[in-house]
Amino acid sequence: MILNAAIVLVSALVGAVLMLPRVAGARIWRATVTPLASIIGSGFLVLGPILDTHFGIWAPAVMAALCGVAYAYGAAVRYNIAWLDGTGIRDRLDLRLEQLGSLALAFAYFVSVAYYLNLLGAFAVSLTDLGPEQGRVVTSGVFLLILLVGWTRGFGALERLEEVSVGVKLAIIAGLLFALGWRFVTQATTGALVLHMPDIVGWQAVTLVFGLLVTVQGFEISRYMGAEYDAGTRIRSMRYAQWLSSAIYMLYILFLTFLYLPGQGELSETSIIAFTALVAPILPILLIAAALSAQFSAAVADTGGAGGLVAEVSGGRVPARAVYALLAGAGLTMTWGMSVFEIITYASRAFAFYYALQSVLAARRAYATDDRRRAALFAALSALGMAIMVFGASVE
């Protein structure tokens, strides 16, 4: 009871701080919230048990590698933001690559919306006796709801939920980290920390890491916030979002690695719920609330983003409403034809292709200014993105 009360108190305090006018109204914080919410919403809850089960004591190192790769791709996107704001010189190939990148990101959004809503369905039934099939029914219903709203009214009303959901999610994550930290200290003082070796190594481990890239994506949304923020603000806010999300991820994985013992339950997208119930009874309820709000708002944002990108690239010939219908159809196909873990892998590949294109653009632009060192780095990142797209493997 004391731990439950402490978790609620920590969550409430963090939520209250985030609602303070000086915080919520700060321009740099508002610019940071959108990419931060997208990064953490991409796979925070599902990632912990996956890394711990397959990588054991090396899970924190793998998490650090994922965050490092994401930050490197963020550097390429930030370079492109600065280039377009400054020099802005663009030849025909440059324009074609930008258009291809927009289409690649729109396709990535198609897959990520399916990923978000399948997680939503799984978490929605996780504390009931309903099985995966009923979770897919929930997912299908939400797909149809989003299609109906987008087709008839647009997403203006739904997008207002993002501000609330972000604050709720960060507050609950603070409570979760506090609870895991409490449990970590308690078990460390009694010599009861869990230590286990990875169950995969070598190339198999590398391809699995490739398949988890989507869990740390989301920072790229700053690239497309030019109508609201200047280039300098977008660059700084992306850095802040990646720094803060990396710190949250590292603490989460570090605590979980030495607390969670594989075999305590079947590995699934909702494994974290069963484990946190052992830490504190209130955590599963809080985490489900966070998951439902976060996945829904992320799905709405990416659906709107996909529609806008395709409409822009096609010069308005393909209306956003048609894109919403295509997205819903593709999402329903993936929902009933793939597991969540398979969708995660395909989403990772789609985003890897987009990051590879952004890196190619950054390499060309750096080379044009005789910055050969950066050009080589961005070229290497492009090659890595293509490798991730080809070799990314699904969690078994």
Side-chain angles (χ1 to χ4, degrees):
M1 292 299 294
I2 294 176
L3 181 55
N4 281 340
I7 292 169
V8 172
L9 179 60
V10 169
S11 296
L13 288 174
V14 172
V17 170
L18 294 177
M19 291 174 61
L20 289 173
R22 290 185 62 182
V23 177
R27 184 172 177 78
I28 188 63
W29 175 246
R30 293 202 312 271
T32 302
V33 159
T34 299
L36 177 63
S38 189
I39 296 169
I40 295 178
S42 296
F44 180 79
L45 295 178
V46 73
L47 185 59
I50 292 174
L51 290 187
D52 186 63
T53 296
H54 291 295
F55 296 100
I57 59 174
W58 291 104
V62 173
M63 187 72 256
L66 277 170
C67 291
V69 168
Y71 194 79
Y73 282 124
V77 176
R78 288 190 291 274
Y79 188 88
N80 288 332
I81 292 174
W83 173 274
L84 294 174
D85 181 65
T87 305
I89 299 174
R90 305 170 74 180
D91 56 23
R92 179 173 295 183
L93 178 58
D94 199 85
L95 290 171
R96 291 284 182 261
L97 287 173
E98 286 281 11
Q99 290 179 325
L100 182 59
S102 294
L103 288 175
L105 184 58
F107 176 75
Y109 282 158
F110 271 52
V111 188
S112 67
V113 171
Y115 163 47
Y116 292 141
L117 292 188
N118 274 270
L119 282 182
L120 184 152
F123 277 98
V125 302
S126 60
L127 291 183
T128 71
D129 294 329
L130 301 176
E133 294 299 308
Q134 286 72 33
R136 291 189 177 97
V137 171
V138 173
T139 297
S140 300
V142 179
F143 260 119
L144 295 177
L145 171 64
I146 289 178
L147 174 60
L148 177 64
V149 173
W151 188 274
T152 59
R153 300 181 58 188
F155 293 121
L158 295 180
E159 286 172 346
R160 295 188 191 100
L161 293 173
E162 183 178 11
E163 296 178 11
V164 177
S165 69
V166 170
V168 169
K169 179 167 60 177
L170 291 177
I172 290 175
I173 285 174
L176 170 64
L177 293 178
F178 171 80
L180 293 178
W182 180 299
R183 180 71 172 262
F184 180 88
V185 171
T186 300
Q187 292 192 197
T189 55
T190 59
L193 293 178
V194 172
L195 298 173
H196 65 96
M197 298 304 294
D199 67 358
I200 58 173
V201 295
W203 181 244
Q204 185 183 6
V206 172
T207 58
L208 178 56
V209 175
F210 284 175
L212 294 174
L213 180 64
V214 70
T215 59
V216 288
Q217 62 80 212
F219 52 87
E220 72 285 338
I221 197 170
S222 295
R223 163 76 172 75
Y224 302 94
M225 294 166 61
E228 302 172 53
Y229 304 102
D230 60 77
T233 300
R234 285 181 286 145
I235 289 170
R236 283 194 298 141
S237 66
M238 190 196 297
R239 285 200 184 100
Y240 295 159
Q242 290 197 284
W243 291 342
L244 185 54
S245 62
S246 295
I248 291 171
Y249 268 115
M250 288 306 302
L251 278 175
Y252 170 59
I253 298 300
L254 181 65
F255 289 148
L256 208 62
T257 296
F258 297 100
L259 297 176
Y260 182 87
L261 182 63
Q264 290 177 306
E266 182 183 357
L267 179 62
S268 71
E269 62 271 28
T270 59
S271 294
I272 190 65
I273 297 298
F275 172 71
T276 55
L278 303 175
V279 177
I282 198 172
L283 279 177
I285 298 173
L286 293 178
L287 292 182
I288 288 174
L292 295 183
S293 64
Q295 303 309 325
F296 182 75
S297 62
V300 168
D302 282 8
T303 300
L309 283 170
V310 174
E312 179 183 331
V313 172
S314 67
R317 289 187 294 274
V318 180
R321 291 198 305 176
V323 179
Y324 302 154
L326 289 172
L327 185 147
L332 289 171
T333 301
M334 285 183 274
T335 296
W336 291 98
M338 301 179 187
S339 70
V340 172
F341 291 143
E342 288 175 311
I343 296 173
I344 288 175
T345 303
Y346 282 109
S348 292
R349 289 176 172 177
F351 278 103
F353 182 54
Y354 169 74
Y355 295 145
L357 290 174
Q358 285 291 310
S359 298
V360 168
L361 283 165
R364 294 185 76 243
R365 291 160 177 170
Y367 189 83
T369 59
D370 290 327
D371 191 345
R372 304 300 171 84
R373 181 170 158 274
R374 278 186 176 173
L377 171 62
F378 293 144
L381 286 174
S382 179
L384 176 61
M386 297 304 292
I388 292 172
M389 185 184 71
V390 174
F391 297 111
S394 174
V395 176
E396 298 295 338

